[in-house]
Amino acid sequence: MATSTSVPTTGQDPDPAGALRFPADFRWGTATAAYQIEGAAREDGRTPSIWDVYSRTPGRVRNGDTGDIATDHYHRWPEDIELMSRLNVGAYRFSVSWPRVRPTGCGPASAKGLDFYRRLTDGLLEKGIEPVITLYHWDLPQELEDAGGWPARETAYRFAEYAGIVADALGDRVKTWTTLNEPWCSAFLGYGSGVHAPGRTDAADSLRAAHHLNLGHGLAVEELRERLPAGTEVAVTLNLHQLRPLTGSAADADAVRRIDGIANRIFTGPMLDGAYPADVIEDTASVTDWSFVQEGDESLIHQPLDFLGVNYYSPTLVSHHEGPAAHGADNHGASDHSPWPAAEQVAFHQTPGERTAMGWTIDASGLYDLLTRVRRDHPGLPMMITENGAAFDDYAGPEGEVRDPERIAYLREHLAAVHRAIGSGADVRGYFLWSLLDNFEWAYGYSKRFGMVYVDYATQRRIPKSSAHWYGEVARTGELPMR
Ligand code: FCB
């Protein structure tokens, strides 16, 4: 629940026309990730990542889709920057492909790979668009997976080295950096349920992976701080789950606590508070003894951050469940293996309400609750919405136009929730719409369209949807029209 802070009276009042005004320095951005848009999978020395191998494995990705070509952004980036510029986008969050800039994961850096990102950032800066880097959006070099992947401690050190390489190449021009994107997905979908690359299914390994992702984050932040000019922002992006109990029972409250532990506090604990929560360690004792956490690791992970990146799509509804394991609709894809270690006694439910093409319930109050919770639990920590958006079954009409009123409604509701959270005292600095372009939606391949710009994959033609024009106006004016 919101704490009772007085609502700021300057800069955020609804204007007479029914628009909500955002703070003047609020950043209006859009986001993508390398594997989802770049293509050029075998070009300029890039080696396979776990997603190349996974997507080429029959049965893993819908329709056998891969990121080999994707939206061909590796070649079409000037056009994509031009598009962003026309749409008044002020900031662009993209990820650097590790196997493109350090092929094999541990060898020498690739000059060609780094040059691509130099050209891209220079192109953005020329148009006045602020580049925001994500260092890891899930594309671990396959050679590092073959050497053990994230369950292996060494991977954390390789990640920090890679962070240093990118910092040396781009630190003079990029002022905002995040280490990991959604480490929960990397650990628990990648090594627990196996619905993401590398597709392994071992609960103990998923917890080891979570720790080594945390460690990689801490080591990378150190590396970045050493190399980047003072004043550069360094952060991490988490997909914090906004959890709700099915009933008011004590057992359901405990189900919320348990999932909150392995969804959220397993990351925020060491990253923001300097220690793993005791209940998380106890809850998972049947799966692991946590001996992979070495002396000093937690303080290494606990680095000062300039903001927390928050990704939000939909809330999660849980209840206590007696009897055999009940793992059901939790929005994270179907598998015989649960992504939730030692949580057999928790059942997941579909939250009521309208859904997107992903089947995810549309509920902007979850975003408000999440932002006010972070504010309460971590006072003084600024936040950035690094992803929010929705997939719908968009198509081009007879005149080549793409109308997506559902997406406009989704964005409006969620931005209003952000505005309300700011009014309640949450220090939210910006919003990045997921995504600039329709793209490779992981295990769903190209079947789900999240873009504000439609991509005709046969021709690679880009068509801004009506939501892109709408969002461009919001970005230009800093005002959210409520009708
Ligand atoms: C997030 C991912 C992003 C995209 C959206 C829909 O979990 O970070 O790459 O797939 O979901």
Side-chain angles (χ1 to χ4, degrees):
M1 274 286 94
T3 41
S4 55
T5 329
S6 61
V7 177
T9 48
T10 47
Q12 295 170 16
D13 302 328
D15 80 3
L20 302 178
R21 193 168 312 124
F22 279 73
D25 55 357
F26 194 80
R27 276 134 111 175
W28 296 99
T30 185
T32 62
Y35 191 71
Q36 296 180 274
I37 63 162
E38 283 181 3
R42 296 179 175 86
E43 244 168 273
D44 292 339
R46 181 185 177 281
T47 57
S49 75
I50 53 176
W51 269 99
D52 294 272
V53 172
Y54 187 81
S55 64
R56 288 172 200 158
T57 307
R60 290 302 205 176
V61 173
R62 199 172 284 190
N63 301 320
D65 290 344
T66 72
D68 283 1
I69 299 171
T71 68
D72 196 29
H73 172 78
Y74 192 72
H75 301 113
R76 291 169 196 263
W77 61 268
E79 177 188 347
D80 293 337
I81 291 180
E82 186 58 44
L83 256 174
M84 280 188 267
S85 168
R86 286 214 309 270
L87 294 169
N88 311 304
V89 168
Y92 176 49
R93 171 180 181 251
F94 62 94
S95 81
V96 173
S97 158
W98 186 345
R100 200 183 283 294
V101 306
R102 199 186 191 199
T104 81
C106 52
S110 155
K112 283 187 176 165
L114 290 169
D115 277 346
F116 168 69
Y117 295 104
R118 284 198 192 95
R119 289 195 299 274
L120 177 69
T121 45
D122 287 349
L124 290 165
L125 292 168
E126 267 165 40
K127 293 282 183 189
I129 302 170
E130 189 191 333
V132 173
I133 282 189
T134 302
L135 284 167
Y136 187 69
H137 203 124
W138 307 352
D139 45 359
L140 184 71
Q142 179 63 32
E143 284 205 29
L144 293 185
E145 170 58 23
D146 295 341
W150 285 109
R153 189 174 174 90
E154 292 68 33
T155 303
Y157 292 90
R158 297 295 85 76
F159 177 62
E161 291 162 10
Y162 151 72
I165 289 171
V166 184
D168 287 345
L170 302 173
D172 57 344
R173 51 201 103 180
V174 178
K175 303 289 167 231
T176 306
W177 296 66
T178 61
T179 54
L180 306 170
N181 174 71
E182 302 191 355
W184 184 87
C185 295
S186 302
F188 297 105
L189 301 182
Y191 295 91
S193 68
V195 301
H196 277 189
R200 283 158 64 180
T201 52
D202 182 298
D205 275 346
S206 70
L207 289 162
R208 295 173 74 91
H211 177 59
H212 296 135
L213 284 151
N214 278 331
L215 183 63
H217 159 78
L219 294 166
V221 173
E222 277 196 333
E223 202 70 35
L224 294 175
R225 297 273 187 218
E226 236 166 68
R227 289 156 193 265
L228 297 174
T232 308
E233 294 179 308
V234 178
V236 65
T237 282
L238 302 177
N239 55 321
L240 295 176
H241 288 62
Q242 180 54 36
L243 293 154
R244 293 180 174 162
L246 187 63
T247 73
S249 72
D252 286 0
D254 197 59
V256 165
R257 179 203 58 75
R258 193 178 191 101
I259 298 302
D260 183 48
I262 45 181
N264 302 329
R265 290 180 290 113
I266 193 170
F267 300 105
T268 56
M271 285 180 180
L272 304 177
D273 300 325
Y276 283 104
D279 64 325
V280 171
I281 294 179
E282 264 165 47
D283 287 348
T284 54
S286 61
V287 171
T288 177
D289 61 6
W290 287 77
S291 54
F292 47 78
V293 180
Q294 296 184 7
E295 184 78 40
D297 281 2
E298 285 155 305
S299 45
L300 259 174
I301 298 166
H302 187 208
Q303 299 286 335
L305 297 178
D306 295 296
F307 65 86
L308 179 68
V310 174
N311 290 358
Y312 173 84
Y313 290 92
S314 186
T316 304
L317 185 61
V318 300
S319 68
H320 176 74
H321 166 86
E322 288 297 340
H327 112 267
D330 68 354
N331 281 349
H332 295 300
S335 164
D336 294 339
H337 301 268
S338 170
W340 305 103
E344 290 77 13
Q345 254 66 80
V346 177
F348 291 81
H349 307 269
Q350 181 76 49
T351 43
E354 279 176 48
R355 304 187 200 170
T356 68
M358 296 296 284
W360 298 348
T361 304
I362 302 173
D363 187 344
S365 70
L367 179 55
Y368 174 83
D369 292 344
L370 189 58
L371 296 172
T372 48
R373 178 204 177 168
V374 173
R375 181 203 174 230
R376 189 188 60 224
D377 291 355
H378 306 284
L381 180 66
M383 287 173 269
M384 190 93 85
I385 314 293
T386 37
E387 284 181 30
N388 176 241
F392 292 104
D393 295 326
D394 306 309
Y395 58 90
E399 314 288 319
E401 80 290 356
V402 183
R403 294 195 209 289
D404 58 344
E406 315 90 330
R407 185 171 288 100
I408 294 178
Y410 180 100
L411 297 172
R412 179 188 280 123
E413 286 165 26
H414 286 75
L415 280 165
V418 174
H419 187 272
R420 195 154 70 87
I422 295 173
S424 305
D427 183 4
V428 186
R429 305 274 172 98
Y431 177 93
F432 290 75
L433 187 159
W434 184 271
S435 177
L436 171 64
L437 303 167
D438 289 339
N439 61 47
F440 176 83
E441 178 47 35
W442 309 113
Y444 297 88
Y446 297 99
S447 69
K448 303 293 175 197
R449 294 180 176 274
F450 273 93
M452 63 170 167
V453 174
Y454 181 88
V455 177
D456 175 353
Y457 293 111
T459 61
Q460 292 293 350
R461 182 164 168 226
R462 274 84 160 129
I463 307 172
K465 303 175 190 176
S466 30
S467 60
H469 299 296
W470 178 88
Y471 183 66
E473 265 311 282
V474 176
R476 189 180 65 77
T477 58
E479 283 188 5
L480 179 66
M482 291 312 288
R483 352 173 222 261

